[in-house]
Amino acid sequence: MLGHGEVLRTFEISVRELLDCSENSRPIIFQPKQGEVISPCTSLSMTLEQRLSVENDTAVLCPLVVLTSRDMDALAVETDVGHRLLAQYRRTQKSSDLDQSINHFERVSDLCPMDHPYRPAALCNLATAKLVSCQAGKRYLDLDIPINLFQDALDLRPIDHTDRTITQLHLTLSLLSRFAKWGFQTDAVATRELLSEVLDACHADSYIHRAALIAIETSALHSVGSTDANDPGQEWPAASMLPLSPNQLAERAEWCLQRDDPHALNEVISLHYDALGYYNTGHAYRGQLLCNLSVMLITRFERRGNDEDLDQAIALQREALGLHPVGQTDRCTPLNNLANQLSSRFKHRGNDEDLDQAIALHREALALRPVCHTARSSSLNNLANQLSSRFKHRGNDEDLDQAIALHREALALRPVGHTARSSSLNNLASQLFSRFKHRSNDEDLDQAIALRREALALCPVGHIDRSGSLNNLANELSSRFKHRGNDEDLDQAIALQREGLALCPVGHTDLSGSLGNLANQLSSRFDHRGDEEDLDEAIALQREALALRPVGHTDRSKALGSLANELSSRFHHRSNDEDLDEAIALHREALALCPVGHTDRSGSLNNLANQLSSRFKHRGNDEDLDQAIALYREALALCPIGHMNRSGSIGNLANQLSSRFEHRGNDEDLDQAIALYREALALCPIGHTDRSKALGNLANGLSSRFEHRCNEEDLDEAIALQREALALCPVGHTDRSTSLSSLADQLSFRFKLRGNHEDLDEAIALHREALALRPIGHTDRSSSLSSLANKLCTRFEHQHNREDFDESQDNLRHALTLLTEYDPRQLVVQKSLAKVHLSFHDSELDATDAGEDDDSLNAAMHHLQAAANVVSAGLLPRLQASLSWVRRARQHSHGTELEAHTTSMQLLDAYMSTTASVSSRHNIMKHFPSTLAVDAASCALHSGDVCRAVELLEQGRTIIWNQMTRPRTPLDTLQTHSDDAAALVKKFRDLSSLLDQPPASYAEATLRVNVEAEEARYRRLVKDWNGAVEEIRKIEGFSRFLLPPSFSNLRDAARGGPIIVLIASKLSCDAIIIWHEQPPTKIPLSTKLEKLQTLVARFQRRSTLALTTALIELWDDVVRPVVKNLGPFAPRGSRIWWCPTSLFNFLPLHAAGEYRENGESLSQQYISSYTPSLTALMKARRSHDMRLSVLFAAIGQNCPAGASSTLECVEPELELLRSLLPPVVSFTKISSVDATRSRALSALQDNTWLHFSCHGTQNFDEPFKSAFLMRDQPLSLLDITQMDLSRHEFTFLSACETAVGDFRTPDEVIHLAAGLQFAGVKSVIGTLWTVDDSTVQRLVEAFYKILCKSGKMNSKRAAWALHQAVGSLARDKDMPLDQRIVFIHIGV
């Protein structure tokens, strides 16, 4: 080769020896290095000339041809660059490198004319590059070029030239390449002749001789018809592309196994595939190549998680096994290889068939190795290991027992002195330890430890395996400590781990693992003794271990997880938020190192989810809980049916869904959790190691559902499951305390249900045993103290034993001291303390000093208040605690009742804001007392605070409407306050705009993960929006921004006339008259809540007689007392507004009267309007710029989709309306086929005056689906709520049931007419029930004639016009009474 090239060999030689070789024409011979099959450099021949210098007699070495220094430099430089670029191309496959390499070699050729001594080498270099170019570009017709170049080089090298044979070999391979393409027989003949010459000229051990033999073999394969001359896609590589031998490939594979180099691994796999192309079926090398390639594919699968690699590896092993039919002596090896690959796939996918087949293959392999066979012990171990895997998967004791028996036999075949005895001792110890964990047989554990000690004795100081043996023994001793609590075992385990660590100095490959092992044992001792030094040292060791696994290290993910777990332990001990946050950050980094497809991704997802779940319990942040559930769902998706980890993954997800149910009360979460628990239990049959846990989980889920729905079958099944679970956790079992507590809880529930004292006594006994298993320092001791205290309190309530009371109270106080200020479990303990004090207060054990009884009541209220204020516990538990406070304070007439009501309403508002959907908010309201606000107002009234009663009503009613309209709050005055204020306004408006968007709707097939992600996004928006509101409140003049309005603000709603607020609660029924200037007037009403319920039912019948009687009663009990108090300040004929609450919402107050000749009635004295809330009326009063033109749209639909009848009066009504409106009105009529939902929405947006004439429906189950029926789809209340109608003046609803609310949530006032007013319409006319066509026709004509009489349109005259129109109809005695009073006015 011309140029500096590549260094193949270095050697030392004296000048005398060099001259001797030259004189005798003897080459310097190089033998192959150790491990080389053929050497790339076999010999070196050189000729030297000795001449005397003219100047002196000194001998010097001179080349045969003298060249100038400049020529030699140019040749060397160009040649070196060419070779470097060619090598670079082979690594990167970058075509520009190859093109530049050819350019450099061509320049070298130009510098070497025909008589130049280096021309043959230059031609060979150029030919090689050209050949590579032809093959890379598939330019098969250009193969003549490199062939001619090699031929020219050969012609310049005579028979005795040292490089002639290598030139012949290159020419041979070029001819073979052309023969592979075109099948020219002349190429084949020339190839054979050239190779024959090469073999004759070369030594049999030389590299060239061996390469020639491979070329002959390749030529022979071609000759038997392996090439299709018509297929230009086939190609045989040149010399540089010949396959490596199986041994060389094995060396490269071994190199890849020791490094995590994806590129190198891919290259080795590719080389194996290339080699398989050469060594077809039947070749002696093929079996070895198949096995090696399979191993490399498995390695790539383990590193990247590509299932195709795993499947391909198994397919290759099956082919390898097929090359060794039954009866062959070497069939054992492929049997074991295939079994191992199937076992790997089982671990990945959990397919039982793979595991069963692996066991069958190992059994066959064992049968081929009878007693006395040298490899029988290995086969015994292989089969035993697979049986052990199947036991872990299915829990069949026979598999475990058989595995142990096989390991015993293997150990017997490896007597004292056998080199593999230590391995057999450890294998048997591992299986005995597994059986101990399954059956808790102490003999198995003790024997396992004895075997580990013997194995350690076989690894004396200095033995390479001593460190691993120390670790094994330490782990078993640690387990025995956990089982028996013997401190010596734990201390010895730590000592062994320290010795193991000492055997791994800095730089040792096992140092990181040894650090982690010692850290784990120290962590265990910390859990046992609570010595913080152990925990801190464990964390320090884990940090050191992580530092040894830098970014890019294959085990970094595991090291991150280990450190995170220790930090989590310290967080639980010290409640340092930094530890928990760092643990989560570490788990996130670990997860990022396990991308989709990685075999460890599922475990990493679970680890991160566990920590997020812990942080949720600590801080109550819903995002953490939702993200934990999303991660658990992804982890479960990675464990399909049959996967060995599916049961655990199901349990994790179910537990979090159960937690979210307890936090938010969504039934779907609980039902889904129970379904998952049942699936998990089905995956843990009798004998399975995890069956006890699966039983307990399902039992707890059923118990939660019993508490929620009171289905006794759930409770009985839960107790049966817990008893079975406890039986699987004998004394000494690590899960026994949990199982004891769970069974005790279920028995306590059953006692409350059926009153069997045996259940309660057993529950207390079980809790005492559980507490004894959780000594001081145990993380669950606080929970155990609380559980026992609650059961003792229950027994005190029934048996009045003072000792039970004292012990219960002491336990709870102790439990509280064990919890940090951020621990959400404080809420449960505070509620339990309240219960204990209330039990004492209600008992017959009155203290001699009556003050002690009062102290107990005050203490109970204090603890309920504290429970409601545990921020980390979450909004739902806090809300439930506050409602308990309300209930108990009312029951005992305690002075904190009003504060309890206020707290409850604040928490309810906050809790409802966590969901985006208005229907979800309405469903939330159904689960809480519908009278919360009116009860709070009644409480305030009875304390003499009328103004506070009004404030509480406004705060606690129409919550859904208020939350929907908050984001639309104008901020014009703040906009000009300052630059910072302007930026804050923009932030508030941007967030408000996002919140005001309709919530996303999902198809049934939508992944739950996606739904939860959107819900979590909404909660983040709410959090950010609340933050912006808090910032605005810090600005001067905006301290009460979006806070519940004070009475001084609310009284402004009475600017146009008095407002009568009607309150109906169990405590009393009252009216409050709100005046604009004077103090409010409180009027006690003689009616009761029960009487109002009867009255409402009578109005539903609507016969004239029933209505008349009901209206008279309504006058006498409610309206007359109000009218009497109106007289001094409200002149006759003036306007009044009714703001009814609770059952008053369903009464036609405007129509009350005596209904007798010359009898009194409300309509004779005042013009009545309604308002759903004071705030709504205040917003309706806000003035806007008056439009010059009145945009009026009349929307009528006489034949809507799905209607059974046609409304004949619609078209005549709309035409009548057109004729009555004055010329200033810009009138648009939309009817018949044009009156679709989309057209109606457009008209609603574009016009400020509207008239609907159509069918109206009130949906009582889902009131936001109440709607006006259009031709294609309903125009729903939900559609209306999503519009901004703040500049709209008036809407007439000529439709049925447009002002009827929901009986389950009356104070939310959810109906079409109220929806329009909350959306911004100032004045609305609606209907209380069904209206007749004839009534509508007459009322519409009378109303619009009166309204438009002056030729101007004024929405403030709507109430007066309706009053006059109804009065004109009332004079028609033939019109039914229900039709005369059906229309009402809402708004200004």
Side-chain angles (χ1 to χ4, degrees), residues 1010-1053:
N1010 296 336
V1011 177
E1012 289 167 351
E1014 178 59 28
E1015 291 173 348
R1017 185 194 73 86
Y1018 177 81
R1019 278 189 286 277
R1020 284 195 299 272
L1021 279 176
V1022 171
K1023 182 179 179 180
D1024 293 343
W1025 185 86
N1026 285 332
V1029 169
E1030 289 298 325
E1031 289 182 59
I1032 291 173
R1033 287 176 185 162
K1034 295 175 183 176
I1035 297 174
E1036 185 178 356
F1038 289 85
S1039 60
R1040 291 199 57 80
F1041 178 66
L1042 289 184
L1043 287 174
S1046 63
F1047 182 78
S1048 60
N1049 297 125
L1050 291 171
R1051 70 190 310 165
D1052 194 53

Side-chain angles (χ1 to χ4, degrees), residues 1098-1108 1111 1148 1150-1151 1155 1296-1297 1326-1336 1339 1366 1369-1370 1372-1384:
R1098 283 160 59 189
F1099 275 110
Q1100 303 306 308
R1101 294 196 288 270
R1102 291 202 294 278
S1103 67
T1104 299
L1105 180 59
L1107 276 178
T1108 302
L1111 288 168
H1150 63 285
Y1155 285 87
C1296 301
E1297 300 178 333
T1327 53
L1328 291 176
W1329 43 70
T1330 303
V1331 59
D1332 297 338
D1333 289 351
S1334 58
T1335 302
V1336 169
L1339 185 93
V1366 170
L1369 296 182
D1372 182 357
K1373 302 303 180 184
D1374 294 330
M1375 179 178 286
L1377 179 58
D1378 70 316
Q1379 295 297 295
R1380 281 184 264 157
I1381 64 174
V1382 65
F1383 284 95
I1384 63 170

Side-chain angles (χ1 to χ4, degrees), residues 906-1149:
Q906 290 170 346
L907 289 171
L908 178 60
D909 187 289
Y911 177 56
M912 286 177 61
S913 70
T914 60
T915 180
S917 160
V918 291
S919 58
S920 297
R921 292 175 184 172
H922 181 251
N923 286 331
I924 288 173
M925 291 295 296
K926 294 177 186 176
H927 292 101
F928 296 101
S930 62
T931 59
L932 185 61
V934 292
D935 288 342
S938 285
C939 179
L941 286 177
H942 278 262
S943 66
D945 194 341
V946 179
C947 296
R948 183 63 180 142
V950 175
E951 291 172 347
L952 289 169
L953 280 175
E954 200 65 17
Q955 178 185 347
R957 297 179 65 253
T958 64
I959 293 177
I960 296 175
W961 292 119
N962 291 337
Q963 289 186 346
M964 291 172 66
T965 56
R966 276 177 203 161
R968 304 172 190 172
T969 302
L971 282 171
D972 298 335
T973 55
L974 181 59
Q975 179 77 35
T976 58
H977 194 278
S978 66
D979 291 341
D980 290 342
L984 193 53
V985 167
K986 183 180 184 304
K987 178 181 178 181
F988 174 80
R989 284 176 174 165
D990 289 344
L991 290 167
S992 295
S993 177
L994 292 170
L995 285 174
D996 203 25
Q997 291 175 1
S1001 57
Y1002 298 96
E1004 289 185 5
T1006 305
L1007 290 175
R1008 182 65 190 166
V1009 173
N1010 296 336
V1011 177
E1012 289 167 351
E1014 178 59 28
E1015 291 173 348
R1017 185 194 73 86
Y1018 177 81
R1019 278 189 286 277
R1020 284 195 299 272
L1021 279 176
V1022 171
K1023 182 179 179 180
D1024 293 343
W1025 185 86
N1026 285 332
V1029 169
E1030 289 298 325
E1031 289 182 59
I1032 291 173
R1033 287 176 185 162
K1034 295 175 183 176
I1035 297 174
E1036 185 178 356
F1038 289 85
S1039 60
R1040 291 199 57 80
F1041 178 66
L1042 289 184
L1043 287 174
S1046 63
F1047 182 78
S1048 60
N1049 297 125
L1050 291 171
R1051 70 190 310 165
D1052 194 53
R1055 217 172 9 159
I1059 302 170
I1060 303 99
V1061 179
L1062 297 176
I1063 302 171
S1065 75
K1066 290 182 178 179
L1067 191 61
S1068 65
C1069 293
D1070 301 275
I1072 301 173
I1073 303 176
I1074 301 173
W1075 310 96
H1076 188 230
E1077 301 292 344
Q1078 289 81 22
T1081 304
K1082 175 200 167 188
I1083 307 166
L1085 301 177
S1086 59
T1087 189
K1088 300 292 183 185
L1089 193 62
E1090 295 77 10
K1091 194 174 181 182
L1092 285 178
Q1093 290 172 335
T1094 305
L1095 191 60
V1096 169
R1098 283 160 59 189
F1099 275 110
Q1100 303 306 308
R1101 294 196 288 270
R1102 291 202 294 278
S1103 67
T1104 299
L1105 180 59
L1107 276 178
T1108 302
T1109 306
L1111 288 168
I1112 293 171
E1113 186 176 329
L1114 183 60
W1115 169 259
D1116 290 338
D1117 292 344
V1118 178
V1119 178
R1120 188 205 298 270
V1122 172
V1123 170
K1124 284 183 178 180
N1125 284 274
L1126 285 171
F1129 304 104
R1132 189 181 181 92
S1134 64
R1135 292 188 62 186
I1136 61 172
W1137 277 263
W1138 296 96
C1139 183
T1141 70
S1142 187
L1143 292 174
F1144 284 118
N1145 280 290
F1146 307 104
L1147 299 176
L1149 300 162

Side-chain angles (χ1 to χ4, degrees), residues 30-137:
F30 301 111
Q31 294 299 325
K33 294 179 182 177
Q34 183 177 2
E36 284 185 343
V37 178
I38 49 177
S39 173
C41 179
T42 57
S43 63
L44 177 66
S45 297
M46 58 178 62
T47 302
L48 298 103
E49 181 180 287
Q50 185 176 18
R51 69 176 176 80
L52 295 177
S53 170
V54 176
E55 289 80 11
N56 54 50
D57 295 336
T58 306
V60 295
L61 296 176
C62 297
L64 292 175
V65 179
V66 179
L67 295 174
T68 66
S69 176
R70 182 178 300 174
D71 289 338
M72 284 301 297
D73 288 345
L75 285 174
V77 169
E78 292 287 346
T79 303
D80 283 350
V81 174
H83 281 298
R84 188 165 61 252
L85 287 166
L86 183 59
Q88 188 168 301
Y89 164 74
R90 283 174 170 150
R91 289 195 305 272
T92 66
Q93 298 296 300
K94 190 176 179 181
S95 59
S96 61
D97 291 336
L98 180 57
D99 294 339
Q100 291 181 51
S101 172
I102 291 172
N103 291 338
H104 285 285
F105 285 140
E106 285 176 339
R107 282 197 286 274
V108 172
S109 177
D110 292 341
L111 289 172
C112 298
M114 288 298 296
D115 59 344
H116 197 288
Y118 294 161
R119 182 169 178 77
L123 291 172
C124 280
N125 289 338
L126 178 58
T128 299
K130 289 279 190 180
L131 180 58
V132 173
S133 178
C134 290
Q135 292 172 334

Side-chain angles (χ1 to χ4, degrees), residues 426-444:
N426 284 318
N427 289 337
L428 177 55
S430 296
Q431 297 310 316
L432 288 166
F433 182 60
S434 292
R435 190 162 69 182
F436 159 73
K437 290 192 289 185
H438 181 56
R439 300 181 190 163
S440 297
N441 185 344
D442 285 14
E443 291 180 9
D444 283 336

